[in-house]
Amino acid sequence: MRNSNRNGTLMLALGLLSICLLGQTEKTDLKKVISEYENMIGTCHCKSIFRDQKGAWNDTINLTWNWKYIMDQKGIQDEGWYFSNGRKYHFTSIRVFDTINKQWYVSYFTPNLSSVPETWVGGKQGNEIVLKKEEATENGLVESILTFSNISKKGFDWEGKVMNKEKEMVYPFWKIWCLKEE
């Protein structure tokens, strides 16, 4: 088990615990923070492209992405699915806000996980929501960065990229453009 995954799972558990222990003041703050995602709540119909194993962009595919509040509106879960190469793929993420560290902890789950769920940490930066996760690879230390942008009542954009800090290289690996269902 990779240490970063173990730490991420621990932080998700601590975030859930902090939600359960909140006092009235923190609940008010939490409602404001949860509202960062309010424009995403509901069903989104998306166009998605991601890279194949050789690094080339695949054809654009349709993706459905549902967002909902969970845990008495103290957390957010998304779930989605898409078809690629004749197969249906599913995914889900659970988002909890740590009121002590003032950061979102987002754990990603998919049926074909080969290890514990991965967890990104971050929050609102200007008009975007940016989540990051560092990990060691054979090419050095990289940072996975997930960015939600152009967030409105009509939809949002999403980009996943990897940044190699040592080589100062950025490599986008997945892009999604979503419109909310009316």
Side-chain angles (χ1 to χ4, degrees), residues 112-155:
N112 55 343
L113 277 177
S114 58
S115 63
V116 296
E118 298 188 68
T119 300
W120 283 259
V121 179
K124 191 115 177 175
Q125 293 182 7
N127 292 324
E128 299 179 333
I129 297 173
V130 180
L131 306 164
K132 298 179 180 183
K133 176 180 70 74
E134 283 191 348
E135 61 183 63
T137 70
E138 59 190 40
N139 295 319
L141 186 64
V142 298
E143 187 170 48
S144 174
I145 304 168
L146 310 179
T147 304
F148 293 90
S149 61
N150 299 316
I151 302 167
S152 74
K153 293 181 181 193
K154 294 183 178 187

Side-chain angles (χ1 to χ4, degrees), residues 39-40 44 46 65 67 148-152 154-158 176-180:
N39 285 329
M40 298 173 175
C44 298
C46 311
W65 208 344
W67 294 73
F148 293 90
S149 61
N150 299 316
I151 302 167
S152 74
K154 294 183 178 187
F156 61 90
D157 298 336
W158 181 93
I176 303 173
W177 301 271
C178 294
L179 293 175
K180 289 224 7 209

Side-chain angles (χ1 to χ4, degrees), residues 37-44 67-69 76-77 180:
Y37 285 93
E38 74 183 342
N39 285 329
M40 298 173 175
I41 300 298
T43 299
C44 298
W67 294 73
K68 64 183 178 183
Y69 294 111
I76 297 167
Q77 180 178 9
K180 289 224 7 209

